Amino acid sequence: MDTAGSMDDTGSPSHPHEPITAVLLGNPNTGKSTLFTALAGIPTRVGNYPGVTVERKIGRFAHAGIGVELIDLPGTYSLDPKSPDERVAVDVIAGSQPGAKRPDCIVAVVDATNLERNLFLASQAMERGIPVIVALTLSDIARNQGVEIDSEKLSRRLGCPVVRVASPRGEGIAALKDRIVRCRDLPPPSPPSLDGHAAGVAPHHSPPVREATARYAWIEAVLADAVSRPKDSAETRRGRLDRLVTHRVGGTILFVGTMLAIFTSIFVLAAPLMDLISAGVDAIGGLVESSLPEGAIRSLLVDGVIAGVGGVVVFLPQIAILFLFVALLEDCGYLARAAYLMDRLLAGVGLGGKSFIPLLSCFACAIPGIMATRTIENRRERLLTILVAPLMSCSARLPVYLLFCGAFVPNVAVGVPWLRLPAVVLAAMYAVGVVTAAAVAFVLSRTIMRGRSQPFVMELPPWRMPQPAVVLERVREACWSFLSNAGTTILAVSIVIWALGSYPKPRVVDEAAAIIADAVADAAAEELGKPVERGDPEAVDRGNALRQSFLGMAGRAIEPVVRPLGWDWRIGCAAIASFPAREVVLGTLGVIYNLGDVDPGEEDGASRLERKLRAATWDGSDRKVFTLPVALSIMVFFALCAQCASTLVVIGRETGSWVWPFVTFTYMTTLAWLGAFVTYRMGTALGW
């Protein structure tokens, strides 16, 4: 019976045998991470290799009474290191990492649907003097494609065990574990004989070209009569499909159409679940309000915790739907085609095709996207990618877009009945980040970061049916990350904002303070050329109390900076409070604007936070704070700003200097303010 992490209280193996150290080595996108999870479960330790910023995953399991420490090496195409990831893989295999020893065996992860390309790395591993076990992943997909592999013949020719596995289904996992725990009985495989295969290579070619040509010739000889493929039209159909989705015009139209369809579905499919969650949040708030006497505790729970966290949790269904579609597109192989399609665009702005996958990862979170730039060998191109990566709209920005699109963008059709204006605006917010990133990269690559982009060579994975288990796991990870953030950072910030907005307790407003408040209201009304309209006395008292709080003092200090954007001081406070994480702005707005009565008869589907924002007015008047131009300016600001402290820390760590985080924060904040200013002024001038 297999057990995961079988250890005693001291951390030593609970079995009498010395544990085995095995490493997983493979190309990117070969199912290596899925195999790691199938063998060892969730990694028991995640950290960085000593002296470098490359992340490592270590898992432990026991099989047949023997403990195994499994190390998941970074995905690499070669053991001739050119990037930080490749250097780490070579050092781990050689045992040259500080405090580490050479592994007992190498598990070479080989994609069964593309043996020729994947055996290149496996052949290099066979030259390291360590027992090698070849794990043929995606074997079920290869079988469905009609690919027949004679594992025994392939094992004899390679001189090492070959095990066919299908990780999501658990096929071959037990057999692979058997081979791993018996790896010490295996002799190191004989190095590939390349001399004879290099005889036909032209002598004037460079040594790397001669070696690669000879190695592929050796692989071709190994696979002869060991692998057979159907001679039907499957490859022809795949070729036609690839030509369609990677076509410069047709592929781009398909990509844009796919994105618009996804954004539309986010609003349509999530609406019932959002209504249910919103009603639940309102019910909890009402129950707590009716159960507790008026006072600080009730205010903290209702106006702080429920208003802050509840205003964010309501967007969980839309987060889940977005990541569901992204996982489906990635697992079926479409996103790799999109990377190839985008290579021409990236090269035009000074980047390369290798930048696409890290930038694409940033649409989920900038942190792993920035870390993924380690695969870029060119230092100039890697630094340029890091500097523009935070401009990609991550999942933390999505709730901000969804709130203001749903609350203030008219729900009207655009061209066709199924395409609604909120979905178009949502797509436009993502486009703002992409276009700005391209412009910044273009300027930097032609000024302080001149240089040529590397040519992009990418292996397109086979088209395949998405694995439900893999897709659902990615959705679960995204949802849990969102909820855990709502339960920690957003909760903490919501409580802090509530306290800052509640204390010190308001003093009796004297005549001078009343005159100042009226003057501020008059100035706000004069800006739009409208007469001032006084609000009801109770709302004025609540507004004055908030202005006299610590939060109000800070807001009045920054009001001159945010007023040109169409914001009142409370929006400015929310923007500042959201620096730890962008989505915190929702919880902060929920606390700050949890004042005054809202219309209980407002349309169904509007969340409690939406109703609060629609009812918010400028201090001392009935003028609405939030209009369409204001909502658009807020969205543009958050599309471009650097409101994520963790991202800036990672930039400093990856670049080895705190200069670049400062540069990133400065240029992004400047662009965000300018973008919000232009958006608000244009929207106001157009009468929106």
Side-chain angles (χ1 to χ4, degrees):
M1 178 178 178
D2 298 337
T3 59
S6 179
M7 297 283 164
D8 61 21
D9 293 338
T10 64
S12 302
S14 58
H15 47 75
H17 304 285
E18 182 182 354
I20 289 172
T21 300
V23 297
L24 291 185
L25 175 70
N27 296 167
N29 303 316
T30 56
K32 184 166 61 69
S33 297
T34 307
L35 178 60
F36 178 90
T37 303
L39 288 170
I42 298 175
T44 57
R45 187 165 79 247
V46 178
N48 289 340
Y49 288 98
V52 292
T53 57
V54 178
E55 187 179 81
R56 66 176 175 182
K57 292 192 297 184
I58 299 178
R60 293 181 175 87
F61 67 91
H63 183 74
I66 300 177
V68 177
E69 182 176 78
L70 190 65
I71 302 175
D72 186 13
L73 295 178
T76 179
Y77 288 104
S78 173
L79 290 181
D80 295 324
K82 297 182 180 64
S83 69
D85 279 4
E86 293 173 349
R87 169 54 61 188
V88 163
V90 172
D91 289 346
V92 172
I93 292 175
S96 58
Q97 278 282 312
K101 65 170 186 173
R102 295 188 74 189
D104 296 296
C105 73
I106 299 173
V107 179
V109 182
V110 174
D111 181 355
T113 66
N114 200 339
L115 289 171
E116 293 85 352
R117 179 67 185 90
N118 283 241
L119 282 176
F120 185 97
L121 180 63
S123 69
Q124 291 181 321
M126 295 166 61
E127 299 171 338
R128 303 290 159 161
I130 300 175
V132 173
I133 303 170
V134 174
L136 296 180
T137 57
L138 307 179
S139 292
D140 52 339
I141 297 175
R143 184 169 54 246
N144 294 337
Q145 293 177 352
V147 179
E148 297 182 2
I149 303 174
D150 190 332
S151 301
E152 294 184 2
K153 182 180 292 187
L154 187 60
S155 176
R156 289 195 303 270
R157 292 180 178 177
L158 293 174
C160 61
V162 175
V163 182
R164 301 180 61 157
V165 298
S167 303
R169 302 181 181 183
E171 296 178 10
I173 299 301
L176 180 57
K177 289 183 176 181
D178 287 338
R179 291 292 188 177
I180 292 175
V181 298
R182 290 185 290 153
C183 69
R184 291 189 177 125
D185 299 329
L186 296 173
S190 300
S193 177
L194 304 181
D195 294 339
H197 297 285
V201 183
H204 62 274
H205 282 23
S206 64
V209 172
R210 291 176 59 84
E211 181 195 351
T213 304
R215 202 174 292 275
Y216 278 118
W218 174 83
I219 293 173
E220 184 178 356
V222 168
L223 296 179
D225 300 327
V227 178
S228 62
R229 291 181 172 82
K231 297 182 179 180
D232 59 15
S233 58
E235 288 297 318
T236 304
R237 292 195 300 269
R238 171 184 166 180
R240 286 198 297 264
L241 183 57
D242 283 346
R243 285 192 294 272
L244 171 64
V245 299
T246 60
H247 189 271
R248 180 176 299 182
V249 178
T252 302
I253 294 174
L254 178 62
F255 180 77
V256 173
T258 301
M259 294 300 104
L260 286 175
I262 290 176
F263 292 136
T264 299
S265 66
I266 288 175
F267 284 98
V268 175
L269 299 180
L273 288 175
M274 290 185 68
D275 292 346
L276 186 63
I277 296 176
S278 180
V281 171
D282 289 350
I284 293 174
L287 179 63
V288 172
E289 192 169 14
S290 62
S291 302
L292 296 177
E294 184 176 356
I297 298 298
R298 189 178 80 173
S299 177
L300 170 63
L301 293 177
V302 176
D303 302 335
V305 175
I306 297 176
V309 178
V312 180
V313 173
V314 71
F315 296 101
L316 178 63
Q318 292 174 313
I319 297 287
I321 290 174
L322 174 65
F323 279 92
L324 172 65
F325 282 111
V326 171
L328 288 172
L329 292 177
E330 181 179 7
D331 213 39
C332 74
Y334 176 72
L335 288 188
R337 274 79 182 172
Y340 174 81
L341 181 67
M342 294 294 108
D343 178 52
R344 300 186 188 96
L345 175 62
L346 292 172
V349 299
L351 296 172
K354 279 196 171 182
S355 299
F356 179 79
I357 297 300
L359 292 177
L360 185 67
S361 302
C362 291
F363 284 106
C365 178
I367 293 175
I370 292 171
M371 295 170 67
T373 61
R374 300 164 185 165
T375 60
I376 303 175
E377 297 92 349
N378 186 294
R379 176 171 172 77
R380 179 201 69 87
E381 191 173 312
R382 179 170 183 252
L383 179 58
L384 191 57
T385 305
I386 289 174
L387 292 180
V388 301
L391 287 168
M392 302 298 106
S393 284
C394 63
S395 59
R397 290 175 168 113
L398 182 59
V400 181
Y401 301 157
L402 295 173
L403 171 66
F404 290 101
C405 283
F408 301 104
V409 177
N411 187 21
V412 296
V414 179
V416 291
W418 61 268
L419 185 59
R420 316 299 290 183
L421 185 57
V424 174
V425 173
L426 177 61
M429 290 301 110
Y430 280 82
V432 164
V434 172
V435 172
T436 304
V440 171
F442 180 84
V443 172
L444 292 178
S445 65
R446 283 156 178 79
T447 52
I448 63 175
M449 294 185 183
R450 290 189 180 93
R452 297 182 60 184
S453 299
Q454 287 184 310
F456 180 49
V457 179
M458 181 179 185
E459 175 185 347
L460 295 180
W463 290 99
R464 54 180 179 244
M465 289 294 296
Q467 297 289 334
V470 175
V471 172
L472 292 177
E473 175 62 18
R474 290 175 184 169
V475 175
R476 186 200 66 80
E477 288 178 354
C479 292
W480 175 248
S481 175
F482 179 74
L483 287 176
S484 62
N485 197 22
T488 54
T489 305
I490 297 175
L491 174 61
V493 173
S494 296
I495 293 175
V496 170
I497 294 299
W498 169 85
L500 293 176
S502 301
Y503 297 96
K505 289 300 182 180
R507 303 181 303 273
V508 177
V509 180
D510 56 23
E511 185 177 354
I515 294 175
I516 294 175
D518 291 344
V520 171
D522 292 340
E526 184 179 354
E527 184 177 349
L528 293 181
K530 297 180 179 179
V532 66
E533 298 178 1
R534 306 295 181 199
D536 66 90
E538 185 178 353
V540 171
D541 289 341
R542 286 193 295 263
N544 288 330
L546 185 59
R547 289 180 65 86
Q548 293 179 41
S549 67
F550 292 120
L551 187 63
M553 299 174 193
R556 291 197 300 273
I558 66 169
E559 193 167 24
V561 178
V562 300
R563 182 175 286 275
L565 311 181
W567 303 0
D568 74 343
W569 63 269
R570 291 170 290 186
I571 303 177
C573 285
I576 293 177
S578 65
F579 175 73
R582 295 179 181 94
E583 64 270 42
V584 171
V585 71
L586 292 161
T588 306
L589 288 173
V591 176
I592 292 178
Y593 285 100
N594 198 37
L595 300 170
D597 297 326
V598 295
D599 182 6
E602 191 168 349
E603 73 224 55
D604 293 336
S607 68
R608 183 181 181 91
L609 180 55
E610 288 177 347
R611 297 195 300 271
K612 291 289 185 182
L613 297 185
R614 288 171 180 166
T617 59
W618 284 81
D619 288 345
S621 75
D622 291 333
R623 173 193 167 197
K624 296 294 185 182
V625 172
F626 292 93
T627 61
L628 179 56
V630 171
L632 292 175
S633 74
I634 294 173
M635 286 189 282
V636 169
F637 181 88
F638 277 91
L640 302 178
C641 68
Q643 297 293 93
C644 183
S646 299
T647 297
L648 296 177
V649 171
V650 170
I651 291 176
R653 190 180 68 182
E654 292 293 316
T655 59
S657 171
W658 291 106
V659 171
W660 296 115
F662 175 78
V663 170
T664 303
F665 178 81
T666 301
Y667 97 78
M668 289 185 65
T669 304
T670 302
L671 286 178
W673 192 93
L674 292 174
F677 176 80
V678 172
T679 301
Y680 172 70
R681 294 299 172 180
M682 288 183 59
T684 302
L686 295 173
W688 291 352

